[in-house]
Every structure is written in structure tokens, then in C-alpha cells.
Amino acid sequence: MLSPAEGDLLRRLVAPYLQDGHQYSLHNLAHLCRQVPQERWPEVVGEHFARLREASQGGESAEELLRGVHARLLAEESVSPQLAGAMRYARRVADGLVLAYALDGDTSVRILTDQDVERVGAQELDQAARANLMRVAVRHEEIPVEGGAVLHSLYGDSPFVASQALFLAQAARQATGEPLPDGGALVVVPTRHNLVFHPVGDGSVVDAVNSLAAYALGAYQDGAGALSPRLYWWHHGRLTSLTVIDDATRSFSVQPPPELLRRMKSLVRLAPAGRILTRDTAAAPDLAALGQRLREGLARLAADPSGLADVFAGAVTLAHARCADDPRAAHVDTWDPWALAVQLGTLLFAGGQPQKCVMGEDLAVEVTGEGAVPPADVRGWLDAVYVAIVCREWERVERLCGVPMERLREDDSVDSYLLHWAETLRAYFARQPMDDIVQKLLATMEASMPDALTHGPDDFVNRIDYQPVALFHRILAGDHDAFAKALSGALDEHRAYWGDAPAPRARVALGPLAMAVLARGYEFPVADELPYLPKYLLDGGRIEVIPRP
């Protein structure tokens, strides 16, 4: 940050202060000097070492220590052997970062020693250090970046702002009013005065990785009070460095650990499909635009079937979205995308001869699934099965359940319970022995326990993904009362998850709807008017003939 000549000048100015045998980092002092004319450097250096002398005096009472102590992140490289020997209580919390205690005085900050900790007591000091840290005033700003990610910047004059990364869940809630998702957050602490984080809650996390990594390096190099150039993952109270530094080549790279990679891949698959609650699903969909995109995609399929997966996803989205204005699914404009979703989903996963796909009165396209390889997309396959069940297309359901399980297992973006659930449905519709079906269902339930989840967000899994499994369990048991109670609970969970979000997936509880249709076939008493279950799909009143090959 200084030229060679400036560096020599700074060393000459600090030399008189280094007669006590202590080692001092000149990094922060260099930042201070760079911001003022050289004629003021002697003054800046003198004030800097005066503060250090004052901070090193010690002798405070236990009450004074408790009142002023703060948890403090230190750059690992700044902890000299001499300092480390005086603060054995300190611990390394992540690559490049050390947790210590610091006393915030009127004009200076002093790092506490082992003697200070012993005088007060480690547990009591730790509690006070956290409480005082989380009372530090910070300012919060949202920073949108390219790709749709939003970064949250916490900054302020205090040298303790970045240290709030130690307790990021609390800091994020205090600043934003929102809790962090189960996936935690990506976070950088380039200087003592700021931290920037991005919740690991949707597919925009991929864009946030590069933006945060670039920001951390730049702010670390340019800002006063430099702390760390690394990108970290805060998860369940722990900080894990994603940045790998090659000292030989002085190069940086970002290498997320396998658990985070799995989460990121899952979120990337979930968010664009509108399956989870994100910022993007907070805006009402444009039905006309959705319909037009579906028509255009369907028209292209005649010449280029490679876009079949996207067009199927568009049909499922429009089928849900239409139920905003037509919650009973009474109109033909609502039926068309449901019928299309059945046809396209079956062609996508099970292949087949060309068939006529119709949308409205003026668009009919021959779409083929010949030679198609089913995608490794378990949730897409479940969508196809659910819409086929809702539309009472039992032959198509059986064809979908003939998709090789080996292909679905190639989807590495899902937790294992979804694979077990797919196996359960395949076994059921293939009319395998009931004992085999029950064993597969039990494996599904066991694999969906919270401690077994490493991919999908917990609240989404529990409130949305798992509900069809619970309902199917009641169907197999033949327990009408238990099914009714579970169905009511599933709809409550759907409401609790989506709230008043206008997202298409918020309009219809697709999995519970499919299970309710299945239960009706076994003469379970299911009410006609239930929220999120369109009446004329539930009772079959809107079901029309779907063209076949």
C-alpha cells in the first residue's frame, strides 16, 4: 500500500518506539499514514504508539472489565508469539481468524491477557463479551449484485463491527428483522469495521459467492483495519473458510466444502422452478406472459424437442398460476396447462410416440418423446406423477413409474428421502407386495428426519416436501380419520410456508392434492371445498379427455 520510499520513511519514524523489545504490526498504521500528507506522519505515528501504551496499562477492576469487554476477531497473522503467550485463552475460530477479548476504553482498545481472564472468570467474561459486542451500533445496507443476489452490509465506526460475524444469526436478525435460513450464510470480514453476508437460502447463492469473494479481497487491500481477505461460510455457529490461498503463487481460489456444494446445487434447482419461497416469488406472476412463453415453447417443440424439460416446467407453473384467478379450476383456460403438463411430463420421463398437444383453440403441436433420455430430476418426476394422478391418467402414472430408478438416483441435488419416496410410488403403482411398499415408505420417513437432511431447506422439506408422504402413509393404513387430520395439517403447513406470497406454487398444494385424489379413489371422505385443492380437479368435474398418441 506504500511505495518503497514511503515504507522506508515509516520504518524510520517508528524505530524509536521499538526499543521495548515488543513486536508490532505496521499494517494499520500504514493505512492511517497513507490518508494524510507525509508532513503529518510523525504526528500520526506518535499518536498511534501513545494509544498502544495507554491500552497496555491494565489494572482495571473486575467490574470495569465486565463493563467494557467485547469479543474480538483478530487476524491470525497479527498475533505474535509474544502476544500468543500472554493470551492462551484465545482460540482459532477459522482459517486466518482468532477469537480474543478486548477492552473498549475511552481512547483505546486493549487485548485482554490470561491474567485478566483469571481475575474475572472465563465464563462470566465470555457472556459479558458477547452481550457487549451485540450492543455495538451498526448500520445496515442491502446491496443488489448482478445475477439477482442481495448482499447485506453491516458497517460502523466501531472496531468491533466485523466481530459480530461470530454470532451472525443474532446480528442478522437484529439488522434485518429476519432469521438466517438453515443453510446459514456466506460472510466476509475484510476490515474490523464491516462485515457483509448473504443468506444461503435460494439459488442466488451462486452469484453471491463470486461477488463476496471479490469484495473481500478488494476491501482487505484498501481499507483501514484490515482483518481477512477470505470468504467464509457461517453455519450453525461455525465459520468455515471457502478461500484457499496458495502462498507459493500468491493466488486465491474459492472451494466450498462438499456439504455447502450440495446445498447450493439443491437451491439452484429449487429456486428457478419457484418451489421455494424467495425474493423472486414475492412478486405476482404475469399470467399473460407465462401463457405466451408456454405457447412459444410449445410451438418450438415440433422442430426442436430438446426444450421439452423447460416447456414441461412452464406448463406446471402456469397450471398453478391459473388457480389464482380460478381457485376452483372451473375454466378451460386453467385446464389446458394441466392437461399439457400431463402430456409433456410423460413424454419427458417415459418417452413415447408423437402426440397432439393443444393450447387454446388455435395451437396444436405434434410433440414426440422418441429417443428421449429421462432427466435426472426427481422433483420434476414427482411433478409429472402428481399431475398425472390429479388428472386421473392412471396409464400414464404407470408409465412414469417405469422410469429406471438408476436414472433418478443420478440426481445429486436432493436428499435421500426423495429417492426413497420415488421408490415407494414406483412400487405402489407397479402393484408390488404390500410389505415391500411399507418398507420403502418407512425408509422414506426415516431419511426425512431433520438430522438426515443435507440438501433441501428444513422448513421447505417439513412443510411442503414431506406432506404427501405423511398422507400416503394414512392411505395405506386405511385410516379415514387420520387421513382427514393429516390433510388438514398439510394444508395448514402449506399456508404457513407460503403465507400471502403470490407465487404460482403457493396457489395449489400439488402433492396433497394428488394424495387427496388417490384417497377419493378408495372412498375416503374428502371435502369438496378445501383451500389449495381446486374443487374441479379434486372431484374430477373439470377432467376432460387428454389426447393420446
Side-chain angles (χ1 to χ4, degrees):
M1 69 188 74
L2 301 179
S3 70
E6 290 171 332
D8 288 341
L9 173 60
L10 180 60
R11 293 185 187 94
R12 290 197 300 272
L13 290 173
V14 303
Y17 299 95
L18 305 182
Q19 303 304 314
D20 56 3
H22 285 73
Q23 293 182 342
Y24 298 94
S25 168
L26 301 185
H27 193 274
N28 293 330
L29 181 55
H31 272 295
L32 294 174
C33 288
R34 188 176 63 167
Q35 298 171 25
V36 299
Q38 282 191 8
E39 57 266 25
R40 287 195 56 205
W41 284 23
E43 174 189 351
V44 171
V45 171
E47 291 175 349
H48 176 76
F49 281 95
R51 286 194 298 271
L52 289 179
R53 285 195 302 272
E54 180 182 348
S56 64
Q57 297 303 310
E60 301 85 1
S61 68
E63 291 74 17
E64 288 173 323
L65 287 175
L66 290 173
R67 188 164 55 247
V69 68
H70 290 65
R72 172 77 176 266
L73 282 175
L74 301 176
E76 189 173 14
E77 62 188 19
S78 72
V79 182
S80 65
Q82 183 182 32
L83 184 59
M87 43 184 284
R88 291 184 174 85
Y89 71 88
R91 59 187 174 88
R92 187 173 185 261
V93 292
D95 289 348
L97 293 177
V98 172
L99 166 62
Y101 301 132
L103 183 66
D104 189 17
D106 293 335
T107 60
S108 61
V109 175
R110 178 170 77 85
I111 302 299
L112 299 192
T113 65
D114 292 326
Q115 291 180 338
D116 296 315
V117 175
E118 291 171 4
R119 192 159 76 249
V120 176
Q123 184 174 355
E124 191 173 2
L125 195 67
D126 184 73
Q127 292 174 350
R130 173 170 180 168
N132 291 336
L133 172 65
M134 300 316 296
R135 283 194 288 266
V136 168
V138 300
R139 295 188 286 278
H140 169 237
E141 181 180 355
E142 291 190 1
I143 306 172
V145 297
E146 187 176 355
V150 175
L151 309 182
H152 296 269
S153 176
L154 305 186
Y155 59 97
D157 297 328
S158 169
F160 296 104
V161 173
S163 300
Q164 290 193 352
L166 290 164
F167 312 108
L168 190 60
Q170 182 179 348
R173 185 184 282 275
Q174 288 179 182
T176 70
E178 299 290 335
L180 288 179
D182 183 68
L186 303 177
V187 61
V188 296
V189 285
T191 76
R192 297 191 302 251
H193 300 280
N194 77 310
L195 69 88
V196 184
F197 70 92
H198 175 79
V200 181
D202 61 46
S204 66
V205 64
V206 175
D207 301 302
V209 167
N210 293 330
S211 296
L212 281 170
Y215 172 78
L217 183 56
Y220 172 80
Q221 292 173 334
D222 296 338
L227 185 55
S228 173
R230 295 174 180 269
L231 171 63
Y232 297 93
W233 178 33
W234 187 96
H235 188 232
H236 293 170
R238 296 180 58 190
L239 286 169
T240 301
S241 175
L242 310 188
T243 302
V244 176
I245 302 176
D246 187 326
D247 293 322
T249 61
R250 298 185 62 80
S251 62
F252 285 59
S253 62
V254 176
Q255 299 179 20
E259 182 182 0
L260 179 57
L261 276 177
R262 289 192 295 266
R263 287 181 178 273
M264 290 170 62
K265 185 174 291 187
S266 177
L267 291 169
V268 167
R269 295 287 290 273
L270 285 167
R275 289 188 173 96
I276 56 175
L277 191 59
T278 67
R279 288 174 178 263
D280 290 340
T281 55
D286 184 333
L287 290 179
L290 289 176
Q292 184 60 29
R293 282 200 295 271
L294 180 56
R295 291 174 64 86
E296 292 172 355
L298 185 62
R300 288 194 295 268
L301 287 182
D304 182 13
S306 65
L308 183 54
D310 290 338
V311 182
F312 165 63
V316 173
T317 297
L318 184 59
H320 284 73
R322 286 286 184 193
C323 293
D325 295 332
D326 182 19
R328 291 185 164 192
H331 305 142
V332 69
D333 286 347
T334 302
W335 168 249
D336 274 357
W338 283 92
L340 272 176
V342 172
Q343 290 178 284
L344 298 175
T346 307
L347 287 170
L348 176 64
F349 287 97
Q353 297 295 318
Q355 58 182 282
K356 183 179 180 182
C357 294
V358 177
M359 188 172 179
E361 297 181 357
D362 59 341
L363 181 62
V365 178
E366 288 285 325
V367 180
T368 181
E370 287 188 54
V373 177
D377 182 358
V378 177
R379 285 198 171 92
W381 179 85
L382 285 170
D383 275 350
V385 172
Y386 289 157
V387 296
I389 291 173
V390 168
C391 296
R392 278 76 166 176
E393 287 289 315
W394 306 113
E395 181 184 342
R396 283 184 163 101
V397 171
E398 291 181 7
R399 287 179 56 200
L400 287 165
C401 289
V403 173
M405 197 63 216
E406 292 73 17
R407 181 58 174 158
L408 296 181
R409 288 196 188 97
E410 293 177 17
D411 185 353
D412 60 356
S413 70
V414 298
D415 287 291
S416 62
Y417 75 91
L418 274 182
L419 296 170
H420 288 298
W421 176 225
E423 286 192 293
T424 302
L425 292 176
R426 291 174 77 257
Y428 176 77
F429 286 106
R431 300 176 179 83
Q432 293 182 13
M434 186 56 66
D435 286 348
D436 293 347
I437 298 170
V438 170
Q439 288 302 313
K440 295 180 188 300
L441 179 61
L442 291 175
T444 303
M445 298 168 73
E446 182 177 346
S448 66
M449 299 299 289
D451 59 356
L453 303 177
T454 59
H455 292 66
D458 280 5
D459 56 344
F460 169 74
V461 169
N462 295 329
R463 290 180 161 176
I464 303 298
D465 249 7
Y466 180 72
Q467 298 306 316
V469 178
L471 290 168
F472 186 73
H473 176 207
R474 305 307 181 190
I475 293 174
L476 289 190
D479 190 331
H480 291 191
D481 292 340
F483 180 85
K485 184 177 180 179
L487 181 59
S488 176
L491 301 181
D492 286 343
E493 293 289 3
H494 187 89
R495 180 186 299 107
Y497 180 79
W498 286 106
D500 58 359
R505 294 268 177 174
R507 303 300 181 175
V508 179
L510 180 59
L513 174 60
M515 294 301 105
V517 168
L518 195 61
R520 272 184 167 243
Y522 289 108
E523 299 184 352
F524 279 57
V526 179
D528 287 338
E529 301 282 355
L530 289 170
Y532 311 112
L533 305 184
K535 170 181 170 59
Y536 296 114
L537 295 176
L538 179 61
D539 67 12
R542 176 73 263 179
I543 307 302
E544 300 175 15
V545 175
I546 298 177
R548 297 185 177 279

PDB file of all heavy atoms in Angstrom, residues 278-293:
ATOM      1  N   THR A 278     -38.746 -17.270  -2.062  1.00  0.00           N
ATOM      2  CA  THR A 278     -37.576 -16.406  -2.258  1.00  0.00           C
ATOM      3  C   THR A 278     -38.067 -15.004  -2.607  1.00  0.00           C
ATOM      4  O   THR A 278     -39.264 -14.750  -2.727  1.00  0.00           O
ATOM      5  CB  THR A 278     -36.688 -16.916  -3.407  1.00  0.00           C
ATOM      6  OG1 THR A 278     -37.404 -16.766  -4.647  1.00  0.00           O
ATOM      7  CG2 THR A 278     -36.310 -18.369  -3.217  1.00  0.00           C
ATOM      8  N   ARG A 279     -37.121 -14.100  -2.796  1.00  0.00           N
ATOM      9  CA  ARG A 279     -37.491 -12.751  -3.237  1.00  0.00           C
ATOM     10  C   ARG A 279     -38.211 -12.791  -4.586  1.00  0.00           C
ATOM     11  O   ARG A 279     -39.110 -11.989  -4.851  1.00  0.00           O
ATOM     12  CB  ARG A 279     -36.236 -11.876  -3.350  1.00  0.00           C
ATOM     13  CG  ARG A 279     -35.639 -11.480  -2.013  1.00  0.00           C
ATOM     14  CD  ARG A 279     -34.334 -10.740  -2.204  1.00  0.00           C
ATOM     15  NE  ARG A 279     -33.780 -10.306  -0.939  1.00  0.00           N
ATOM     16  CZ  ARG A 279     -33.930  -9.094  -0.428  1.00  0.00           C
ATOM     17  NH1 ARG A 279     -34.615  -8.195  -1.104  1.00  0.00           N
ATOM     18  NH2 ARG A 279     -33.402  -8.760   0.736  1.00  0.00           N
ATOM     19  N   ASP A 280     -37.787 -13.697  -5.454  1.00  0.00           N
ATOM     20  CA  ASP A 280     -38.397 -13.766  -6.777  1.00  0.00           C
ATOM     21  C   ASP A 280     -39.853 -14.215  -6.714  1.00  0.00           C
ATOM     22  O   ASP A 280     -40.648 -13.867  -7.592  1.00  0.00           O
ATOM     23  CB  ASP A 280     -37.609 -14.729  -7.679  1.00  0.00           C
ATOM     24  CG  ASP A 280     -36.251 -14.172  -8.060  1.00  0.00           C
ATOM     25  OD1 ASP A 280     -36.080 -12.937  -7.969  1.00  0.00           O
ATOM     26  OD2 ASP A 280     -35.369 -14.960  -8.425  1.00  0.00           O
ATOM     27  N   THR A 281     -40.215 -15.011  -5.716  1.00  0.00           N
ATOM     28  CA  THR A 281     -41.589 -15.496  -5.627  1.00  0.00           C
ATOM     29  C   THR A 281     -42.486 -14.529  -4.863  1.00  0.00           C
ATOM     30  O   THR A 281     -43.655 -14.825  -4.624  1.00  0.00           O
ATOM     31  CB  THR A 281     -41.642 -16.877  -4.943  1.00  0.00           C
ATOM     32  OG1 THR A 281     -40.995 -16.794  -3.662  1.00  0.00           O
ATOM     33  CG2 THR A 281     -40.937 -17.925  -5.784  1.00  0.00           C
ATOM     34  N   ALA A 282     -41.936 -13.383  -4.473  1.00  0.00           N
ATOM     35  CA  ALA A 282     -42.729 -12.403  -3.734  1.00  0.00           C
ATOM     36  C   ALA A 282     -43.537 -11.508  -4.670  1.00  0.00           C
ATOM     37  O   ALA A 282     -44.406 -10.763  -4.225  1.00  0.00           O
ATOM     38  CB  ALA A 282     -41.829 -11.542  -2.860  1.00  0.00           C
ATOM     39  N   ALA A 283     -43.261 -11.579  -5.976  1.00  0.00           N
ATOM     40  CA  ALA A 283     -43.986 -10.766  -6.958  1.00  0.00           C
ATOM     41  C   ALA A 283     -45.037 -11.614  -7.662  1.00  0.00           C
ATOM     42  O   ALA A 283     -44.805 -12.786  -7.968  1.00  0.00           O
ATOM     43  CB  ALA A 283     -43.019 -10.175  -7.980  1.00  0.00           C
ATOM     44  N   ALA A 284     -46.187 -11.014  -7.904  1.00  0.00           N
ATOM     45  CA  ALA A 284     -47.272 -11.731  -8.584  1.00  0.00           C
ATOM     46  C   ALA A 284     -46.851 -12.057 -10.016  1.00  0.00           C
ATOM     47  O   ALA A 284     -46.293 -11.207 -10.714  1.00  0.00           O
ATOM     48  CB  ALA A 284     -48.539 -10.897  -8.575  1.00  0.00           C
ATOM     49  N   PRO A 285     -47.105 -13.271 -10.479  1.00  0.00           N
ATOM     50  CA  PRO A 285     -46.719 -13.635 -11.850  1.00  0.00           C
ATOM     51  C   PRO A 285     -47.622 -12.949 -12.871  1.00  0.00           C
ATOM     52  O   PRO A 285     -48.787 -12.652 -12.601  1.00  0.00           O
ATOM     53  CB  PRO A 285     -46.910 -15.151 -11.863  1.00  0.00           C
ATOM     54  CG  PRO A 285     -47.981 -15.407 -10.845  1.00  0.00           C
ATOM     55  CD  PRO A 285     -47.747 -14.391  -9.764  1.00  0.00           C
ATOM     56  N   ASP A 286     -47.072 -12.701 -14.030  1.00  0.00           N
ATOM     57  CA  ASP A 286     -47.828 -12.144 -15.146  1.00  0.00           C
ATOM     58  C   ASP A 286     -48.407 -13.322 -15.932  1.00  0.00           C
ATOM     59  O   ASP A 286     -47.688 -13.998 -16.678  1.00  0.00           O
ATOM     60  CB  ASP A 286     -46.907 -11.298 -16.025  1.00  0.00           C
ATOM     61  CG  ASP A 286     -47.637 -10.592 -17.164  1.00  0.00           C
ATOM     62  OD1 ASP A 286     -48.680 -11.111 -17.600  1.00  0.00           O
ATOM     63  OD2 ASP A 286     -47.143  -9.546 -17.609  1.00  0.00           O
ATOM     64  N   LEU A 287     -49.718 -13.573 -15.757  1.00  0.00           N
ATOM     65  CA  LEU A 287     -50.333 -14.741 -16.392  1.00  0.00           C
ATOM     66  C   LEU A 287     -50.225 -14.676 -17.906  1.00  0.00           C
ATOM     67  O   LEU A 287     -49.985 -15.698 -18.567  1.00  0.00           O
ATOM     68  CB  LEU A 287     -51.790 -14.865 -15.969  1.00  0.00           C
ATOM     69  CG  LEU A 287     -52.044 -15.265 -14.507  1.00  0.00           C
ATOM     70  CD1 LEU A 287     -53.535 -15.316 -14.220  1.00  0.00           C
ATOM     71  CD2 LEU A 287     -51.408 -16.609 -14.218  1.00  0.00           C
ATOM     72  N   ALA A 288     -50.410 -13.495 -18.470  1.00  0.00           N
ATOM     73  CA  ALA A 288     -50.323 -13.366 -19.925  1.00  0.00           C
ATOM     74  C   ALA A 288     -48.928 -13.719 -20.417  1.00  0.00           C
ATOM     75  O   ALA A 288     -48.765 -14.423 -21.426  1.00  0.00           O
ATOM     76  CB  ALA A 288     -50.707 -11.950 -20.347  1.00  0.00           C
ATOM     77  N   ALA A 289     -47.914 -13.237 -19.689  1.00  0.00           N
ATOM     78  CA  ALA A 289     -46.533 -13.522 -20.090  1.00  0.00           C
ATOM     79  C   ALA A 289     -46.215 -15.005 -19.933  1.00  0.00           C
ATOM     80  O   ALA A 289     -45.559 -15.611 -20.794  1.00  0.00           O
ATOM     81  CB  ALA A 289     -45.565 -12.681 -19.272  1.00  0.00           C
ATOM     82  N   LEU A 290     -46.674 -15.625 -18.826  1.00  0.00           N
ATOM     83  CA  LEU A 290     -46.465 -17.066 -18.645  1.00  0.00           C
ATOM     84  C   LEU A 290     -47.121 -17.855 -19.761  1.00  0.00           C
ATOM     85  O   LEU A 290     -46.536 -18.809 -20.301  1.00  0.00           O
ATOM     86  CB  LEU A 290     -47.020 -17.511 -17.291  1.00  0.00           C
ATOM     87  CG  LEU A 290     -46.271 -17.089 -16.030  1.00  0.00           C
ATOM     88  CD1 LEU A 290     -47.022 -17.549 -14.788  1.00  0.00           C
ATOM     89  CD2 LEU A 290     -44.860 -17.664 -16.029  1.00  0.00           C
ATOM     90  N   GLY A 291     -48.349 -17.462 -20.104  1.00  0.00           N
ATOM     91  CA  GLY A 291     -49.061 -18.161 -21.175  1.00  0.00           C
ATOM     92  C   GLY A 291     -48.358 -18.010 -22.510  1.00  0.00           C
ATOM     93  O   GLY A 291     -48.257 -18.972 -23.286  1.00  0.00           O
ATOM     94  N   GLN A 292     -47.883 -16.797 -22.793  1.00  0.00           N
ATOM     95  CA  GLN A 292     -47.201 -16.566 -24.068  1.00  0.00           C
ATOM     96  C   GLN A 292     -45.910 -17.366 -24.162  1.00  0.00           C
ATOM     97  O   GLN A 292     -45.610 -17.951 -25.213  1.00  0.00           O
ATOM     98  CB  GLN A 292     -46.921 -15.071 -24.238  1.00  0.00           C
ATOM     99  CG  GLN A 292     -46.309 -14.696 -25.577  1.00  0.00           C
ATOM    100  CD  GLN A 292     -47.190 -15.072 -26.760  1.00  0.00           C
ATOM    101  OE1 GLN A 292     -48.424 -15.110 -26.653  1.00  0.00           O
ATOM    102  NE2 GLN A 292     -46.569 -15.370 -27.886  1.00  0.00           N
ATOM    103  N   ARG A 293     -45.151 -17.408 -23.066  1.00  0.00           N
ATOM    104  CA  ARG A 293     -43.909 -18.193 -23.078  1.00  0.00           C
ATOM    105  C   ARG A 293     -44.195 -19.668 -23.278  1.00  0.00           C
ATOM    106  O   ARG A 293     -43.459 -20.366 -23.987  1.00  0.00           O
ATOM    107  CB  ARG A 293     -43.141 -17.971 -21.776  1.00  0.00           C
ATOM    108  CG  ARG A 293     -42.385 -16.670 -21.716  1.00  0.00           C
ATOM    109  CD  ARG A 293     -41.292 -16.693 -20.664  1.00  0.00           C
ATOM    110  NE  ARG A 293     -41.846 -16.809 -19.326  1.00  0.00           N
ATOM    111  CZ  ARG A 293     -42.189 -15.785 -18.569  1.00  0.00           C
ATOM    112  NH1 ARG A 293     -42.075 -14.549 -19.030  1.00  0.00           N
ATOM    113  NH2 ARG A 293     -42.664 -15.975 -17.353  1.00  0.00           N
TER     114      ARG A 293
END
